[in-house]
mmCIF file of all heavy atoms in Angstrom:
data_model
loop_
_atom_site.group_PDB
_atom_site.id
_atom_site.type_symbol
_atom_site.label_atom_id
_atom_site.label_comp_id
_atom_site.label_asym_id
_atom_site.label_seq_id
_atom_site.Cartn_x
_atom_site.Cartn_y
_atom_site.Cartn_z
ATOM 1 N N SER A 219 82.964 83.723 122.986
ATOM 2 C CA SER A 219 81.501 83.726 122.973
ATOM 3 C C SER A 219 80.970 84.227 121.622
ATOM 4 O O SER A 219 80.029 83.652 121.067
ATOM 5 C CB SER A 219 80.971 84.602 124.112
ATOM 6 O OG SER A 219 79.576 84.661 124.071
ATOM 7 N N LEU A 220 81.577 85.261 121.075
ATOM 8 C CA LEU A 220 81.155 85.795 119.778
ATOM 9 C C LEU A 220 81.419 84.796 118.655
ATOM 10 O O LEU A 220 80.596 84.623 117.753
ATOM 11 C CB LEU A 220 81.863 87.121 119.483
ATOM 12 C CG LEU A 220 81.457 88.294 120.372
ATOM 13 C CD1 LEU A 220 82.372 89.487 120.124
ATOM 14 C CD2 LEU A 220 80.004 88.659 120.160
ATOM 15 N N ILE A 221 82.550 84.119 118.724
ATOM 16 C CA ILE A 221 82.876 83.086 117.724
ATOM 17 C C ILE A 221 81.847 81.961 117.800
ATOM 18 O O ILE A 221 81.340 81.493 116.776
ATOM 19 C CB ILE A 221 84.304 82.534 117.933
ATOM 20 C CG1 ILE A 221 85.349 83.612 117.620
ATOM 21 C CG2 ILE A 221 84.548 81.284 117.110
ATOM 22 C CD1 ILE A 221 85.416 84.029 116.171
ATOM 23 N N ASN A 222 81.540 81.516 119.017
ATOM 24 C CA ASN A 222 80.557 80.440 119.198
ATOM 25 C C ASN A 222 79.165 80.835 118.700
ATOM 26 O O ASN A 222 78.402 79.979 118.247
ATOM 27 C CB ASN A 222 80.482 80.018 120.662
ATOM 28 C CG ASN A 222 81.721 79.269 121.103
ATOM 29 O OD1 ASN A 222 82.457 78.717 120.281
ATOM 30 N ND2 ASN A 222 81.980 79.266 122.397
ATOM 31 N N ASP A 223 78.844 82.138 118.770
ATOM 32 C CA ASP A 223 77.542 82.634 118.300
ATOM 33 C C ASP A 223 77.559 82.957 116.809
ATOM 34 O O ASP A 223 76.558 83.412 116.270
ATOM 35 C CB ASP A 223 77.135 83.886 119.077
ATOM 36 C CG ASP A 223 76.720 83.569 120.499
ATOM 37 O OD1 ASP A 223 76.296 82.427 120.765
ATOM 38 O OD2 ASP A 223 76.812 84.477 121.349
ATOM 39 N N ASP A 224 78.694 82.743 116.155
ATOM 40 C CA ASP A 224 78.852 83.029 114.723
ATOM 41 C C ASP A 224 78.544 84.496 114.412
ATOM 42 O O ASP A 224 77.900 84.828 113.417
ATOM 43 C CB ASP A 224 77.962 82.100 113.887
ATOM 44 C CG ASP A 224 78.370 82.066 112.419
ATOM 45 O OD1 ASP A 224 79.568 82.280 112.124
ATOM 46 O OD2 ASP A 224 77.498 81.838 111.569
ATOM 47 N N ALA A 225 79.026 85.374 115.289
ATOM 48 C CA ALA A 225 78.786 86.810 115.139
ATOM 49 C C ALA A 225 79.665 87.400 114.038
ATOM 50 O O ALA A 225 80.766 86.919 113.774
ATOM 51 C CB ALA A 225 79.068 87.516 116.465
ATOM 52 N N SER A 226 79.171 88.444 113.425
ATOM 53 C CA SER A 226 79.955 89.215 112.462
ATOM 54 C C SER A 226 81.017 89.991 113.234
ATOM 55 O O SER A 226 80.706 90.639 114.235
ATOM 56 C CB SER A 226 79.028 90.180 111.718
ATOM 57 O OG SER A 226 79.762 91.029 110.899
ATOM 58 N N LEU A 227 82.258 89.924 112.785
ATOM 59 C CA LEU A 227 83.368 90.527 113.532
ATOM 60 C C LEU A 227 84.152 91.535 112.703
ATOM 61 O O LEU A 227 84.232 91.421 111.481
ATOM 62 C CB LEU A 227 84.337 89.441 114.013
ATOM 63 C CG LEU A 227 83.768 88.370 114.931
ATOM 64 C CD1 LEU A 227 84.793 87.272 115.172
ATOM 65 C CD2 LEU A 227 83.322 88.978 116.253
ATOM 66 N N ALA A 228 84.757 92.488 113.404
ATOM 67 C CA ALA A 228 85.714 93.401 112.793
ATOM 68 C C ALA A 228 87.127 92.852 112.990
ATOM 69 O O ALA A 228 88.079 93.416 112.496
ATOM 70 C CB ALA A 228 85.600 94.792 113.413
ATOM 71 N N TYR A 229 87.254 91.774 113.718
ATOM 72 C CA TYR A 229 88.521 91.103 114.028
ATOM 73 C C TYR A 229 89.489 92.018 114.764
ATOM 74 O O TYR A 229 90.649 92.146 114.417
ATOM 75 C CB TYR A 229 89.142 90.485 112.772
ATOM 76 C CG TYR A 229 88.253 89.413 112.209
ATOM 77 C CD1 TYR A 229 87.398 89.672 111.142
ATOM 78 C CD2 TYR A 229 88.204 88.155 112.803
ATOM 79 C CE1 TYR A 229 86.536 88.687 110.656
ATOM 80 C CE2 TYR A 229 87.345 87.166 112.329
ATOM 81 C CZ TYR A 229 86.521 87.447 111.256
ATOM 82 O OH TYR A 229 85.667 86.481 110.785
ATOM 83 N N LEU A 230 88.954 92.625 115.827
ATOM 84 C CA LEU A 230 89.779 93.437 116.711
ATOM 85 C C LEU A 230 90.687 92.521 117.520
ATOM 86 O O LEU A 230 90.345 91.366 117.790
ATOM 87 C CB LEU A 230 88.891 94.251 117.651
ATOM 88 C CG LEU A 230 87.910 95.218 116.984
ATOM 89 C CD1 LEU A 230 87.001 95.849 118.027
ATOM 90 C CD2 LEU A 230 88.652 96.281 116.192
ATOM 91 N N ASP A 231 91.835 93.043 117.919
ATOM 92 C CA ASP A 231 92.754 92.273 118.747
ATOM 93 C C ASP A 231 92.235 92.204 120.176
ATOM 94 O O ASP A 231 91.776 93.205 120.741
ATOM 95 C CB ASP A 231 94.149 92.902 118.738
ATOM 96 C CG ASP A 231 94.838 92.760 117.392
ATOM 97 O OD1 ASP A 231 94.590 91.746 116.707
ATOM 98 O OD2 ASP A 231 95.608 93.667 117.026
ATOM 99 N N ILE A 232 92.333 91.029 120.759
ATOM 100 C CA ILE A 232 91.862 90.784 122.120
ATOM 101 C C ILE A 232 92.709 91.580 123.100
ATOM 102 O O ILE A 232 93.941 91.628 122.991
ATOM 103 C CB ILE A 232 91.928 89.275 122.438
ATOM 104 C CG1 ILE A 232 91.015 88.517 121.473
ATOM 105 C CG2 ILE A 232 91.562 88.995 123.892
ATOM 106 C CD1 ILE A 232 91.269 87.036 121.431
ATOM 107 N N GLU A 233 92.028 92.208 124.078
ATOM 108 C CA GLU A 233 92.634 92.999 125.145
ATOM 109 C C GLU A 233 93.474 94.166 124.637
ATOM 110 O O GLU A 233 94.285 94.720 125.370
ATOM 111 C CB GLU A 233 93.418 92.096 126.098
ATOM 112 C CG GLU A 233 92.493 91.105 126.790
ATOM 113 C CD GLU A 233 93.161 90.260 127.849
ATOM 114 O OE1 GLU A 233 94.279 90.581 128.265
ATOM 115 O OE2 GLU A 233 92.525 89.282 128.266
ATOM 116 N N GLU A 234 93.254 94.577 123.412
ATOM 117 C CA GLU A 234 93.895 95.767 122.837
ATOM 118 C C GLU A 234 92.980 96.954 123.077
ATOM 119 O O GLU A 234 91.760 96.859 122.859
ATOM 120 C CB GLU A 234 94.113 95.568 121.339
ATOM 121 C CG GLU A 234 94.734 96.734 120.626
ATOM 122 C CD GLU A 234 96.225 96.849 120.867
ATOM 123 O OE1 GLU A 234 96.865 95.826 121.177
ATOM 124 O OE2 GLU A 234 96.744 97.974 120.747
ATOM 125 N N ASP A 235 93.537 98.072 123.530
ATOM 126 C CA ASP A 235 92.733 99.275 123.725
ATOM 127 C C ASP A 235 92.497 99.971 122.392
ATOM 128 O O ASP A 235 93.440 100.222 121.632
ATOM 129 C CB ASP A 235 93.423 100.246 124.690
ATOM 130 C CG ASP A 235 93.246 99.835 126.136
ATOM 131 O OD1 ASP A 235 92.216 99.234 126.459
ATOM 132 O OD2 ASP A 235 94.151 100.120 126.947
ATOM 133 N N TYR A 236 91.229 100.276 122.132
ATOM 134 C CA TYR A 236 90.830 100.980 120.919
ATOM 135 C C TYR A 236 90.087 102.250 121.298
ATOM 136 O O TYR A 236 89.275 102.234 122.233
ATOM 137 C CB TYR A 236 89.903 100.115 120.060
ATOM 138 C CG TYR A 236 90.591 98.964 119.403
ATOM 139 C CD1 TYR A 236 90.623 97.710 120.015
ATOM 140 C CD2 TYR A 236 91.222 99.104 118.174
ATOM 141 C CE1 TYR A 236 91.256 96.636 119.418
ATOM 142 C CE2 TYR A 236 91.862 98.040 117.561
ATOM 143 C CZ TYR A 236 91.874 96.812 118.189
ATOM 144 O OH TYR A 236 92.512 95.753 117.593
ATOM 145 N N ALA A 237 90.332 103.318 120.570
ATOM 146 C CA ALA A 237 89.594 104.564 120.783
ATOM 147 C C ALA A 237 88.121 104.327 120.430
ATOM 148 O O ALA A 237 87.809 103.572 119.506
ATOM 149 C CB ALA A 237 90.171 105.680 119.916
ATOM 150 N N ILE A 238 87.240 104.976 121.173
ATOM 151 C CA ILE A 238 85.805 104.852 120.917
ATOM 152 C C ILE A 238 85.510 105.189 119.457
ATOM 153 O O ILE A 238 84.712 104.507 118.800
ATOM 154 C CB ILE A 238 84.985 105.763 121.869
ATOM 155 C CG1 ILE A 238 85.231 105.379 123.336
ATOM 156 C CG2 ILE A 238 83.506 105.733 121.518
ATOM 157 C CD1 ILE A 238 84.872 103.965 123.714
ATOM 158 N N ARG A 239 86.168 106.195 118.936
ATOM 159 C CA ARG A 239 85.988 106.592 117.525
ATOM 160 C C ARG A 239 86.246 105.402 116.597
ATOM 161 O O ARG A 239 85.462 105.110 115.686
ATOM 162 C CB ARG A 239 86.937 107.742 117.190
ATOM 163 C CG ARG A 239 86.990 108.118 115.735
ATOM 164 C CD ARG A 239 88.009 109.220 115.449
ATOM 165 N NE ARG A 239 87.583 110.491 116.029
ATOM 166 C CZ ARG A 239 88.048 111.006 117.183
ATOM 167 N NH1 ARG A 239 88.979 110.376 117.863
ATOM 168 N NH2 ARG A 239 87.613 112.157 117.622
ATOM 169 N N ASP A 240 87.345 104.696 116.833
ATOM 170 C CA ASP A 240 87.696 103.543 115.999
ATOM 171 C C ASP A 240 86.707 102.401 116.198
ATOM 172 O O ASP A 240 86.387 101.671 115.254
ATOM 173 C CB ASP A 240 89.120 103.081 116.299
ATOM 174 C CG ASP A 240 90.156 104.138 115.926
ATOM 175 O OD1 ASP A 240 89.896 104.926 114.988
ATOM 176 O OD2 ASP A 240 91.225 104.182 116.573
ATOM 177 N N LEU A 241 86.226 102.251 117.421
ATOM 178 C CA LEU A 241 85.231 101.209 117.689
ATOM 179 C C LEU A 241 83.921 101.487 116.956
ATOM 180 O O LEU A 241 83.258 100.551 116.493
ATOM 181 C CB LEU A 241 84.983 101.072 119.196
ATOM 182 C CG LEU A 241 86.163 100.505 119.993
ATOM 183 C CD1 LEU A 241 85.878 100.588 121.489
ATOM 184 C CD2 LEU A 241 86.466 99.083 119.569
ATOM 185 N N LEU A 242 83.568 102.752 116.816
ATOM 186 C CA LEU A 242 82.347 103.092 116.080
ATOM 187 C C LEU A 242 82.486 102.736 114.606
ATOM 188 O O LEU A 242 81.546 102.221 113.996
ATOM 189 C CB LEU A 242 82.008 104.573 116.265
ATOM 190 C CG LEU A 242 81.583 104.967 117.683
ATOM 191 C CD1 LEU A 242 81.382 106.474 117.789
ATOM 192 C CD2 LEU A 242 80.334 104.216 118.115
ATOM 193 N N TYR A 243 83.655 102.988 114.032
ATOM 194 C CA TYR A 243 83.888 102.568 112.649
ATOM 195 C C TYR A 243 83.811 101.050 112.541
ATOM 196 O O TYR A 243 83.186 100.507 111.632
ATOM 197 C CB TYR A 243 85.258 103.044 112.150
ATOM 198 C CG TYR A 243 85.311 104.507 111.801
ATOM 199 C CD1 TYR A 243 86.129 105.376 112.515
ATOM 200 C CD2 TYR A 243 84.558 105.027 110.752
ATOM 201 C CE1 TYR A 243 86.194 106.723 112.194
ATOM 202 C CE2 TYR A 243 84.612 106.365 110.423
ATOM 203 C CZ TYR A 243 85.433 107.215 111.146
ATOM 204 O OH TYR A 243 85.486 108.542 110.823
ATOM 205 N N ALA A 244 84.444 100.353 113.479
ATOM 206 C CA ALA A 244 84.443 98.884 113.467
ATOM 207 C C ALA A 244 83.036 98.330 113.708
ATOM 208 O O ALA A 244 82.694 97.246 113.240
ATOM 209 C CB ALA A 244 85.413 98.344 114.512
ATOM 210 N N LEU A 245 82.232 99.077 114.418
ATOM 211 C CA LEU A 245 80.854 98.665 114.696
ATOM 212 C C LEU A 245 79.997 98.686 113.437
ATOM 213 O O LEU A 245 79.240 97.747 113.188
ATOM 214 C CB LEU A 245 80.250 99.613 115.747
ATOM 215 C CG LEU A 245 78.813 99.363 116.168
ATOM 216 C CD1 LEU A 245 78.725 98.115 117.044
ATOM 217 C CD2 LEU A 245 78.272 100.577 116.922
ATOM 218 N N VAL A 246 80.129 99.740 112.620
ATOM 219 C CA VAL A 246 79.202 99.893 111.499
ATOM 220 C C VAL A 246 79.765 99.490 110.141
ATOM 221 O O VAL A 246 79.006 99.045 109.288
ATOM 222 C CB VAL A 246 78.622 101.328 111.420
ATOM 223 C CG1 VAL A 246 77.768 101.613 112.624
ATOM 224 C CG2 VAL A 246 79.697 102.360 111.256
ATOM 225 N N LEU A 247 81.055 99.627 109.913
ATOM 226 C CA LEU A 247 81.562 99.299 108.577
ATOM 227 C C LEU A 247 81.579 97.795 108.324
ATOM 228 O O LEU A 247 80.963 97.335 107.375
ATOM 229 C CB LEU A 247 82.923 99.958 108.334
ATOM 230 C CG LEU A 247 82.855 101.491 108.275
ATOM 231 C CD1 LEU A 247 84.237 102.095 108.110
ATOM 232 C CD2 LEU A 247 81.926 101.959 107.176
ATOM 233 N N PRO A 248 82.265 97.001 109.159
ATOM 234 C CA PRO A 248 82.157 95.545 108.961
ATOM 235 C C PRO A 248 81.088 94.910 109.842
ATOM 236 O O PRO A 248 80.988 93.704 109.937
ATOM 237 C CB PRO A 248 83.544 95.041 109.358
ATOM 238 C CG PRO A 248 83.998 95.993 110.410
ATOM 239 C CD PRO A 248 83.389 97.333 110.034
ATOM 240 N N SER A 249 80.299 95.747 110.536
ATOM 241 C CA SER A 249 79.246 95.274 111.436
ATOM 242 C C SER A 249 79.836 94.413 112.547
ATOM 243 O O SER A 249 79.365 93.314 112.828
ATOM 244 C CB SER A 249 78.174 94.508 110.660
ATOM 245 O OG SER A 249 77.018 94.367 111.426
ATOM 246 N N GLY A 250 80.863 94.937 113.188
ATOM 247 C CA GLY A 250 81.626 94.173 114.170
ATOM 248 C C GLY A 250 80.983 94.039 115.536
ATOM 249 O O GLY A 250 80.893 95.000 116.300
ATOM 250 N N ALA A 251 80.572 92.814 115.854
ATOM 251 C CA ALA A 251 80.023 92.535 117.185
ATOM 252 C C ALA A 251 81.100 92.684 118.252
ATOM 253 O O ALA A 251 80.796 93.022 119.394
ATOM 254 C CB ALA A 251 79.422 91.135 117.227
#
């Protein structure tokens, strides 16, 4: 869905567990949807 919407991504691995801390970095540094 994000690819189809041409969203900005951090390119996280699908179904990989990430710490909330790491998700916050991925959210703001590369603007990861």
